[in-house]
Amino acid sequence: MKKRINLVAAVTALIVTAGCGLAGASENEKDPVGAPPVSVAPTTTEPVIEETTAAPVETTTKPKPTKKATKSPTASASPVEQDWSQVPPCFDYEGKNISKAKAKAALKKASGRIYWRNEAPQLKLNFTLVKAVSWQESGWQSAIKNCDGGFGLMQVMPDTLDHMNQRFGLDYDATGNYQDNAYAGANYLAWLTRYFGDNYFKESYDLSPSKCKSHSSWCLLNVVISGYNAGYGTVDAAAKSKTLPNPAYVDSVRSLMADCPCGKY
């Protein structure tokens, strides 16, 4: 009997304890004393991609490589010689240039002619002078045409061509025939040699560099070179003071006579 009473008492105590536990849990949910506030992440309507999206396409897409602008050629199929330093500011080509071998042969042939067989047979040009003037003028390009009218290997001017043809009864075609161009230019050098030799150097036609003290001195060779570029009238005007009207040009040709890039051809 005592055991039965004890068992009942134990069950009763267990029921009371369980009831207290449930009550305590209910109150704690209402007022959790001492418990830290629970933070709930706020819901957001913005899509997650807004936070992790990459930079705009236009800033991340690699630009397409742009082609480098290529310079249009100054002239036609005939390129400018890289070692020809006297390129005029305005020029073009008419046709194609002959080879340097042909240019050299034409200039040699022109420099070896005697242009004054009766009046001055002793007047002789030399290849060193003719090749240097031609390189200065055209870089040995037979098809080049300067905007001032000069054409070909010797950059013969139309007025100069007319002067030579009419004065000596010639028919040089300096624009369509490279050999005639070489002849016309060389003939003009010979004419200048006789003209200046007769007027200023006691009929001497010696074009030797040894007759010149410097590239700028008043000597026949320098005067002839000056006249080829500036015209004989301009040289006449400077004769009184014995100065060259275009010393830079003369110096360039004289330097080419001593050391010309054309020497490699």
Side-chain angles (χ1 to χ4, degrees), residues 196 215-218 222-251:
F196 291 132
H215 290 185
S216 60
S217 63
W218 183 264
N222 290 350
V223 170
V224 168
I225 295 171
S226 177
Y228 193 89
N229 171 253
Y232 66 92
T234 304
V235 176
D236 282 338
K240 188 174 182 179
S241 60
K242 292 187 177 182
T243 58
L244 303 174
N246 49 355
Y249 178 88
V250 176
D251 178 64

Side-chain angles (χ1 to χ4, degrees), residues 16-251:
V16 172
T17 303
C20 290
L22 292 175
S26 175
E27 288 182 4
N28 285 342
E29 286 178 0
K30 292 180 181 178
D31 185 16
V33 179
V38 178
S39 60
V40 179
T43 57
T44 176
T45 58
E46 295 181 359
V48 176
I49 194 171
E50 291 284 333
E51 299 176 1
T52 59
T53 184
V57 174
E58 58 268 22
T59 60
T60 57
T61 304
K62 293 182 179 180
K64 294 181 179 180
T66 56
K67 294 182 179 180
K68 293 182 179 180
T70 56
K71 295 182 180 179
S72 57
T74 309
S76 65
S78 298
V80 177
E81 294 299 321
Q82 296 300 317
D83 51 1
W84 177 44
S85 61
Q86 309 301 324
V87 181
C90 177
F91 69 96
D92 202 345
Y93 290 105
E94 290 188 4
K96 293 184 179 180
N97 289 320
I98 61 173
S99 68
K100 290 296 186 289
K102 286 184 177 181
K104 182 177 181 179
L107 294 169
K108 261 193 172 180
K109 195 173 182 180
S111 64
R113 265 194 174 184
I114 302 299
Y115 293 96
W116 301 89
R117 291 189 179 276
N118 297 321
E119 297 86 351
Q122 73 275 28
L123 192 162
K124 296 180 181 180
L125 299 177
N126 58 72
F127 179 56
T128 303
L129 170 61
V130 176
K131 76 175 184 181
V133 170
S134 179
W135 190 266
Q136 168 77 19
E137 293 288 336
S138 71
W140 284 14
Q141 298 179 96
S142 62
I144 193 168
K145 182 179 181 180
N146 198 328
C147 290
D148 66 4
F151 185 83
L153 293 174
M154 299 296 288
Q155 285 295 287
V156 179
M157 298 290 287
D159 291 344
T160 301
L161 183 63
D162 291 342
H163 169 75
M164 302 305 295
N165 280 340
Q166 292 173 13
R167 188 178 185 91
F168 303 110
L170 303 171
D171 58 352
Y172 289 139
D173 177 14
T175 58
N177 186 310
Y178 69 87
Q179 184 64 74
D180 272 9
N181 190 286
Y183 284 148
N187 199 338
Y188 187 51
L189 284 171
W191 183 85
L192 290 169
T193 301
R194 187 180 182 195
Y195 176 83
F196 291 132
D198 288 348
N199 286 291
Y200 305 114
F201 298 95
K202 301 178 181 179
E203 298 184 358
S204 171
Y205 309 129
D206 190 348
L207 292 169
S208 174
S210 63
K211 297 292 183 179
C212 304
K213 293 180 180 179
S214 68
H215 290 185
S216 60
S217 63
W218 183 264
C219 63
L220 183 60
L221 175 61
N222 290 350
V223 170
V224 168
I225 295 171
S226 177
Y228 193 89
N229 171 253
Y232 66 92
T234 304
V235 176
D236 282 338
K240 188 174 182 179
S241 60
K242 292 187 177 182
T243 58
L244 303 174
N246 49 355
Y249 178 88
V250 176
D251 178 64

